[in-house]
């Protein structure tokens, strides 16, 4: 509409969904769903507020806070909070829109939302972050609740920030509710939650390989972008299952393994500690072409916090646990119980400044964008195809540009069962919000499930998301014999139909 400001990220997300629906037979079979799309494209509620806080010098600071409550047809609003200087309404609308259909694919009763602030945690002290989180939650607490809206973490919001905000909510509302997910294990969190997005992504890729008759992840070369939570756990799970991880990246550039080498679990843990300290990959210790696994006390996955220990469980603020991470610290004031100083390992890594990994990794079997939106361009997609990639699955939200998606989909149609197969983030990275939903269920029961139980439920949810996408693609998308189904179209249709039908049943369109 000409009277509205441009919202490029949201418009891209809307067009990506709408084009999938238009190119299928859905609107021919159900023309009434065009009305549903028109209604579903507008958020139920958009909340914007100022956040006033003081820095360590006593100077007043002010930021913009947001919560886009997009759709509550299937359950309470559910979606993360992002603290990053690039946050604006367009990005949050795009994320909330995607979240609505992603949550539908989990099969759990969750609506879609997204929120955050244009606050940059980098370079801030713990005290400054605590003051900001408390000021942010004083306003947000008026609009959320366990049966209304249950936020979680996202970029810039980890266990520390969740802890500060949970405490602020509890004090403001005098209620002990499961109003946030990603909490510390000792105060309502769930095992496997920190790992869930990365683990779920790898499980989804496993189902893709199995369906396409391409074996298992074992023996595959995997390129990963990003080096945060999702990338770390995706890398660890790939390595555990026998794959070779050849790249990680951050905003400053990419770290790429040369030859047949790849990252080790120990090196992933070193990178996790760097990211916990908000350092760049350029601080990953290197010497004469070899990487020093110099961790200053990080060993054996035993990470002790302050006033508490976890024996391999993630440390939250002051040692509270926040999930089973096999030794990846995810909190504040934790330190390792051991020392590996002087342990050197050859790595053959090269640093590519200012670049994403896709054009520098050579031949890979699997590509997992796990950093942020629009991180694979059309040219980078063509480079991956030229390198023989079999699977591209998004660990980030809208990780591929529309040009990149068009490249992958054209290859899928042209080469049949030998083609690259692309999975959109709303399906392949829904594991994080799925385990958030399981955390909500545990909070309602006042119980904590075992890690094995949560992990099995996660596998089942990822299989269901994969199967639903396959079914919808088979029902509504025309294809040639031997052609791999379009997971982007199938997942978009499956999530949309579930939301649209529920909206109709509840009288939101007719």
């Amino acid at each position: 509409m000409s009277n509205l400001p441009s919202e490029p990220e949201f418009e891209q997300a809307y067009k990506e969904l709408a084009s999938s629906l238009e190119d299928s037979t859905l609107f021919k079979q159900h023309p009434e769903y065009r009305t549903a799309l028109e209604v579903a494209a507008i958020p139920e509620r958009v909340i914007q507020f100022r956040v006033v806080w003081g820095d360590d010098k006593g100077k007043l600071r002010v930021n913009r806070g947001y919560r886009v409550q997009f759709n509550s047809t299937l359950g309470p609003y559910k979606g993360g909070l992002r603290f990053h200087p690039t946050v604006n309404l367009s990005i949050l609308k795009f994320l909330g829109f995607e979240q609505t259909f992603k949550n539908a694919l989990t099969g759990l009763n969750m609506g879609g939302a997204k929120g955050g602030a244009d606050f940059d945690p980098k370079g801030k002290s713990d005290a400054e972050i605590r003051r900001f989180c408390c000021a942010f939650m004083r306003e947000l607490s008026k609009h959320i609740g366990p049966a209304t809206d249950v936020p979680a973490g996202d970029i810039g919001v980890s266990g520390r920030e969740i802890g500060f905000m949970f405490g602020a909510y509890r004090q403001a509302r005098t209620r002990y509710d499961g109003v946030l997910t990603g909490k510390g294990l000792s105060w309502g969190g769930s095992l496997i939650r920190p790992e869930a997005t990365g683990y779920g992504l790898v499980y989804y890729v496993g189902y893709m390989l199995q369906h396409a008759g391409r074996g298992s992840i074992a023996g595959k070369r995997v390129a990963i972008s990003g080096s945060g939570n999702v990338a770390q756990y995706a890398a660890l799970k790939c390595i555990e299952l026998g794959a070779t991880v050849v790249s990680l990246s951050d905003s400053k550039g990419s770290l790429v393994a040369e030859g047949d080498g790849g990252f080790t679990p120990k090196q992933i843990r070193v990178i996790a500690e760097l990211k916990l300290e908000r350092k760049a990959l350029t601080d990953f210790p290197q010497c004469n072409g070899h990487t020093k696994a110099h961790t200053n006390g990080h060993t054996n996955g035993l990470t002790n916090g302050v006033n508490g220990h976890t024996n391999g469980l993630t440390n939250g603020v002051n040692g509270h646990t926040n999930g089973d991470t096999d030794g990846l610290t995810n909190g504040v004031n934790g330190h390792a119980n051991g020392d590996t100083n002087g342990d050197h390992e050859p790595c053959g890594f090269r640093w590519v400044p200012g670049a994403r990994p896709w054009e520098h990794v050579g031949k890979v079997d699997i590509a997992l964008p796990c950093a942020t939106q629009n991180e694979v361009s059309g040219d980078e997609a063509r480079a991956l195809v030229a390198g023989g990639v079999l699977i591209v699955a998004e660990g980030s939200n809208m990780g591929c540009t529309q040009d990149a998606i068009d490249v992958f989909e054209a290859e899928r149609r042209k080469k049949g069962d030998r083609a690259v197969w692309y999975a959109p983030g709303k399906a392949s990275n829904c594991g994080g919000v799925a385990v958030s939903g399981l955390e909500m269920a545990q909070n309602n029961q006042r119980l904590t499930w075992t890690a094995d139980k949560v992990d099995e439920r996660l596998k089942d949810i990822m299989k269901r998301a994969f199967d639903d996408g396959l079914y919808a693609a088979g029902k509504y998308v025309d294809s040639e014999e031997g052609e791999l189904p379009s997971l982007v179209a199938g997942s978009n249709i499956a999530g949309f139909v579930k939301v649209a039908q529920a909206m109709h049943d509840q009288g939101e369109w007719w």
Side-chain angles (χ1 to χ4, degrees), residues 69 80 82 94 186 205 212 285 290 302 333 344 394 405 428 496:
Q69 295 176 330
R82 177 175 294 192
F94 129 60
S186 64
V205 168
H290 291 75
L302 296 176
N333 298 331
H344 293 64
E394 293 178 342
I405 295 171
S428 55
F496 172 76

Side-chain angles (χ1 to χ4, degrees), residues 464-499:
R464 177 174 182 169
F466 177 71
D467 288 343
D468 285 353
L470 284 182
Y471 174 79
K475 184 175 181 179
Y476 295 110
V477 181
D478 295 330
S479 61
E480 300 293 330
E481 185 176 352
E483 184 178 295
L484 290 168
S486 173
L487 288 175
V488 61
S491 300
N492 280 335
I493 294 167
F496 172 76
V497 167
K498 186 169 185 180
V499 172

Side-chain angles (χ1 to χ4, degrees), residues 138-182:
R138 275 196 297 272
E139 181 61 32
L140 186 65
S141 65
K142 303 171 185 175
H143 309 286
I144 63 175
T148 304
D149 185 349
V150 184
D154 194 82
I155 294 172
V157 178
S158 59
R160 171 180 58 175
E161 289 77 16
I162 292 291
F164 291 153
M165 287 190 284
F166 185 80
Y169 175 88
R170 182 175 52 79
Q171 293 170 26
R173 300 293 293 272
T174 64
R175 293 178 60 90
Y176 198 97
D177 289 328
V179 73
L180 291 163
T181 55

Side-chain angles (χ1 to χ4, degrees), residues 175-414:
R175 293 178 60 90
Y176 198 97
D177 289 328
V179 73
L180 291 163
T181 55
K183 300 185 293 297
L185 189 62
S186 64
W187 39 280
S190 174
L191 291 164
I192 308 297
R193 176 59 191 93
E195 302 93 324
T197 307
Y199 280 16
L201 172 65
V202 178
Y203 296 151
Y204 192 97
V205 168
Y207 299 134
M208 293 174 72
L209 290 168
Q210 183 180 24
H211 181 86
R214 295 172 176 175
S216 68
I217 289 175
K220 301 291 193 294
R221 285 175 58 83
V222 183
I224 298 177
S225 66
S227 51
N229 179 282
V230 179
Q232 292 163 22
Y233 289 116
L236 283 175
K237 181 57 70 173
C238 285
I239 295 168
E240 177 189 327
L241 296 177
T244 300
V245 175
V246 300
S247 67
L248 291 171
S249 67
D250 63 13
S251 60
K252 295 184 180 296
S254 298
L255 197 59
V256 179
E258 295 187 304
D260 295 329
F263 288 89
T264 66
K266 183 183 292 185
Q267 290 164 343
I268 300 295
R269 291 172 185 138
V270 172
I271 289 170
E273 288 192 349
L274 290 177
K275 292 304 172 180
L276 180 64
E277 296 167 2
R278 288 175 166 76
K279 294 181 179 178
L281 280 179
T282 48
D283 291 319
F284 189 55
Q286 297 188 36
C287 180
N288 297 324
H290 291 75
T291 295
K292 292 187 282 186
H294 186 93
T295 66
N296 292 321
H298 185 102
T299 184
N300 291 333
L302 296 176
T303 52
N304 293 329
V306 178
N307 301 324
H309 65 85
T310 67
N311 194 18
L313 297 176
T314 310
N315 293 320
V317 177
N318 294 329
H320 292 302
T321 58
N322 190 22
D324 186 337
T325 71
D326 191 27
L328 283 175
T329 55
N330 190 25
V332 178
N333 298 331
H335 61 86
N337 185 23
D339 197 327
T340 61
N341 290 345
D343 184 11
H344 293 64
E345 293 183 359
C347 73
F349 293 128
R350 60 190 169 95
W351 176 250
V352 186
R356 297 183 289 245
W358 315 121
E359 295 180 303
H360 305 279
V361 290
K363 178 176 172 51
V364 294
D365 303 298
I366 299 168
L368 305 178
C370 294
T372 188
Q373 67 267 13
N374 292 328
E375 56 172 314
V376 183
S377 67
D379 288 341
E380 289 167 323
R382 282 182 277 273
L384 286 169
V385 170
V389 71
L390 302 174
I391 300 289
V392 179
E394 293 178 342
S396 53
N397 294 306
M398 205 167 71
C400 296
T401 65
Q402 189 59 53
D403 285 345
I405 295 171
D406 291 344
V407 170
F408 296 140
E409 286 291 277
E411 287 289 316
R412 180 189 59 80
R413 287 188 291 268
K414 182 170 65 176

